[in-house]
Amino acid sequence: MFKNVGANWALNALQILVLLKLAPFVVDTLGRAQNGVWVTIVSLTGVLSLLVVGVPMASVRFVAEHVAKKDLARANAAVSTCLGICIGLGVAALVAGSFLFAFFELVYLHGPQGADLSPEAIQGARIALAVVVIQVAMGFAMRLPYGIFDAHQDFVVRNAIMAGELFLRLALTLVLRAWKASLPALAIVQVACMFFEFALAIVVLHRRHPGIRFGLASFDRSLVRGILGFSVFAMLLNVGNLLAFRSDALVIGARLDAAQVTFFDMGNKFFDPMTGLLIAVGAVVMPMTAKLHATGEREELRRMFLKWSKISLSIVLLIGTYLLVLGPEFLGAWAGPDFVGPSGGVLQVLMASFLFYLPVRGVALPVLLGLGKPKVPGLALLAMGLVNLALSLVLVRPLGILGVALGTAVPNVLFAGTLLALACRELEIPVSRYFGYVAVRASLGAILPLSLLLFLKHGLHVTGFVPLVAAGLASVLVFAVAWVGFVYRNDPHLDLRAEIGRAWPALARRRAP
């Protein structure tokens, strides 16, 4: 598992580096108002992704189950059936996109957000929305090959393909400044990258897994009900996720000016890659859970759940302590001093809640899905999203974007508690055992690096991009010492000190002449 998760983390690191380059570049190139419109378009078209009703997630589970049983015929039937469903849903998404276009025109282009835009920018926004709608609809089927790679736990190759798409997107976006910095051009870049990614994925899929047929030849009507039955509750996860993390820009855009969307988005910018780090764990955990469940290895499943929950919490603490303490200063050095106050407050409020949410999202949720238990997680995430939307609508007027951040933070914590209790019950692990193993040492181990960061902030008053990066590296070093010397010392599932002791002689022999 470490190899696959490590490959996912390598991709996440690359995504973060691309984000650090592209985010301020796009804001600077388009301007805050047009960037706010772009964020709104991305959030709004995210609604269309709900129409896929969780079929890609279902494909991972169904294909992984048949791969574990070495039943190639049923695996191909699952692939073909999922592809047929995705094509039909993509057509429905195009139809729904026309209604979405009318909504965007009425609420946003003729609302507070459109007041700051020139007629040319408004026309560009219309074109960009149409292009993104087409991209989302086609993406239903075109992203399905990744479900096949995930089911085979072929994450290294999958991530290499996604890395190629990242480099292409970076290059094409940078060309925007020399060509034409506009919303339609930005949308066209997304479409071009998607076609490149799909074509490469199909070629690699045929070479890596020649027995798998990506087509409709093995479509099996008898599988439709089972796939959709799982997918409906998986869709609720998507609905809840959309309401929780994609509706904020819509609420702000409808109630405040377009620039406020950009301020919120910059404060929220780090959480997509952070979530990606934990989803990288979940992407491996879910098919592994399906495999262990199918083969009856219950104790190994419990061991995996506890070990990776502790690893996930450790990662969140590593990044989270830095963002809580020096996050606003980093935003100022990275994106500009205007972002320190409004965006920095959003960053700190959200980060406090993600300390609870992310470890559960990364491990407990995919374990439940791998067990074929999507119902309660789906309903819980839907409730989380609805509470988020309601609180954000109530708090946006009196508190501005900070109120929207609070509206997101509170449901995050409630969802984490609910899902953790459910996962522990399904695996027959007492919650007290979970906290005793996962949280106690990891939290105590974070005290020393947290103290260092507070000293750097309030004692040395660290400012500037390079000193802030150096502060982050120092924090990572202190965390590493704490993990090896205390948090994972004599750990029953992952003893870092013992692992290093076993790996060091082999490494020394490789370096020897």
Side-chain angles (χ1 to χ4, degrees):
M1 280 187 66
F2 275 106
K3 178 183 177 181
N4 289 328
V5 174
N8 289 347
W9 284 342
L11 177 66
N12 290 133
L14 181 60
Q15 289 171 333
I16 291 171
L17 291 175
V18 171
L19 169 70
L20 290 173
K21 176 62 179 178
L22 285 186
F25 174 82
V26 172
V27 173
D28 181 57
T29 301
L30 295 178
R32 293 177 185 174
Q34 285 200 76
N35 182 74
V37 175
W38 174 250
V39 173
T40 301
I41 288 173
V42 172
S43 299
L44 195 59
T45 51
V47 175
L48 295 179
S49 65
L50 300 178
L51 293 175
V52 79
V53 292
V55 174
M57 190 180 297
S59 71
V60 176
R61 184 183 181 276
F62 278 81
V63 176
E65 181 179 357
H66 295 307
V67 168
K69 296 177 179 178
K70 303 186 185 305
D71 190 342
L72 187 60
R74 298 303 293 168
N76 277 322
V79 171
S80 293
T81 307
C82 288
L83 177 60
I85 294 171
C86 285
I87 291 173
L89 294 173
V91 174
L94 287 174
V95 175
S98 61
F99 296 98
L100 200 64
F101 193 93
F103 177 79
F104 179 69
E105 182 80 25
L106 178 64
V107 175
Y108 292 95
L109 295 185
H110 288 91
Q113 197 172 91
D116 298 330
L117 301 175
S118 66
E120 182 183 3
I122 289 176
Q123 183 61 24
R126 295 185 181 115
I127 296 172
L129 177 63
V131 172
V132 175
V133 165
I134 294 171
Q135 176 206 2
V136 171
M138 296 181 69
F140 287 4
M142 294 177 73
R143 296 196 65 82
L144 199 56
Y146 288 128
I148 302 172
F149 285 123
D150 290 355
H152 286 85
Q153 299 186 47
D154 205 354
F155 294 97
V156 175
V157 173
R158 182 204 71 167
N159 292 344
I161 297 170
M162 297 180 76
E165 186 273 340
L166 273 176
F167 284 119
L168 179 62
R169 193 193 328 160
L170 174 62
L172 293 179
T173 305
L174 294 177
V175 169
L176 281 178
R177 176 170 284 179
W179 176 45
K180 186 177 181 181
S182 66
L183 292 173
L186 196 60
I188 290 170
V189 166
Q190 311 301 313
V191 175
C193 292
M194 182 183 72
F195 275 103
F196 165 81
E197 195 175 9
F198 175 71
L200 184 58
I202 289 296
V203 170
V204 174
L205 181 64
H206 285 319
R207 292 187 177 183
R208 295 282 297 180
H209 306 290
I212 295 294
R213 299 287 180 246
F214 190 80
L216 297 172
S218 300
F219 187 90
D220 187 345
R221 290 184 180 180
S222 66
L223 287 177
V224 172
R225 183 174 181 179
I227 291 172
L228 289 180
F230 183 93
S231 299
V232 166
F233 292 108
M235 179 194 68
L236 295 181
L237 295 173
N238 294 335
V239 174
N241 189 70
L242 176 71
L243 291 173
F245 304 117
R246 292 291 180 265
S247 65
D248 293 334
L250 304 180
V251 171
I252 297 167
R255 299 297 177 91
L256 305 174
D257 62 81
Q260 293 301 310
V261 179
T262 295
F263 280 118
F264 183 89
D265 183 60
M266 293 304 289
N268 188 41
K269 189 65 76 176
F270 297 104
F271 296 108
D272 270 350
M274 271 193 75
T275 303
L277 284 173
L278 277 300
I279 289 178
V281 176
V284 180
V285 166
M286 180 181 165
M288 181 61 72
T289 299
K291 176 183 177 181
L292 294 175
H293 181 60
T295 55
E297 299 176 69
R298 193 75 173 176
E299 189 56 39
E300 180 62 24
L301 180 54
R302 296 189 188 97
R303 178 179 177 274
M304 179 185 70
F305 173 69
L306 290 173
K307 179 176 75 173
W308 284 100
S309 293
K310 185 174 180 178
I311 293 172
S312 297
L313 178 59
S314 299
I315 293 168
V316 174
L317 288 172
L318 170 69
I319 303 171
T321 51
Y322 180 84
L323 292 179
L324 281 171
V325 178
L326 291 175
E329 286 77 9
F330 185 85
L331 272 174
W334 173 51
D338 291 347
F339 292 94
V340 173
S343 300
V346 168
L347 170 62
Q348 289 175 316
V349 169
L350 292 176
M351 187 63 252
S353 69
F354 274 88
L355 290 174
F356 299 92
Y357 171 79
L358 283 178
V360 174
R361 171 64 181 86
V363 182
L365 177 58
V367 162
L368 289 168
L369 295 177
L371 290 172
K373 303 284 185 179
K375 182 177 180 179
V376 175
L379 293 173
L381 191 52
L382 176 62
M384 167 185 158
L386 291 172
V387 173
N388 179 346
L389 181 60
L391 285 177
S392 297
L393 287 169
V394 170
L395 297 176
V396 66
R397 285 294 190 190
L399 298 177
I401 60 175
L402 190 62
V404 177
L406 286 169
T408 301
V410 173
N412 279 356
V413 177
L414 295 176
F415 172 80
T418 301
L419 213 65
L420 175 60
L422 177 62
C424 288
R425 186 180 68 187
E426 288 292 335
L427 295 176
E428 299 176 337
I429 297 174
V431 175
S432 58
R433 179 186 171 191
Y434 175 92
F435 279 107
Y437 172 74
V438 173
V440 174
R441 283 200 175 192
S443 300
L444 292 174
I447 293 176
L448 188 58
L450 178 62
S451 302
L452 171 65
L453 290 168
L454 289 171
F455 171 73
L456 293 173
K457 179 184 178 77
H458 298 292
L460 298 183
H461 305 288
V462 174
T463 57
F465 188 80
V466 174
L468 285 166
V469 171
L473 294 175
S475 172
V476 170
L477 180 61
V478 175
F479 257 109
V481 173
W483 286 348
V484 174
F486 173 69
V487 176
Y488 287 95
R489 185 174 183 176
N490 299 323
D491 187 286
H493 304 305
L494 179 62
D495 188 340
L496 279 180
R497 194 171 183 178
E499 291 292 334
I500 293 172
R502 283 191 289 267
W504 188 261
L507 182 62
R509 284 194 298 270
R510 288 181 185 178
R511 291 183 175 180

